[in-house]
Amino acid sequence: MRKWQCIVCGFIYEEANGLPEENIAPGTAWEDVPSDWLCPECGAGKQDFEMIEIV
């Protein structure tokens, strides 16, 4: 499972956790998140997210 970070505000979407409060089930791959989904923190679109590596 990967993690994606909003380059605008730093919010992190974790595929393993999903976002149940936004009707995105745990285990939902980034590719399966709706294309019109917006960052819950700042309203940025999916195009403003980058995959990150946590070390």
Side-chain angles (χ1 to χ4, degrees), residues 11 13 17-26 37 40-41:
F11 174 82
Y13 171 75
N17 298 339
L19 284 172
E21 64 275 9
E22 302 228 354
N23 297 320
I24 300 173
W37 177 81
E41 297 290 321

Side-chain angles (χ1 to χ4, degrees), residues 1 3-7 10 13-15 23-25 28 34 36-37 42 45 47-50 54-55:
M1 298 266 101
K3 297 180 182 182
W4 296 81
Q5 184 173 32
C6 178
I7 61 173
Y13 171 75
E14 298 184 44
E15 292 179 337
N23 297 320
I24 300 173
T28 300
D36 61 350
W37 177 81
C42 71
Q47 71 277 6
D48 293 317
F49 278 73
E50 294 181 349
I54 305 294
V55 290

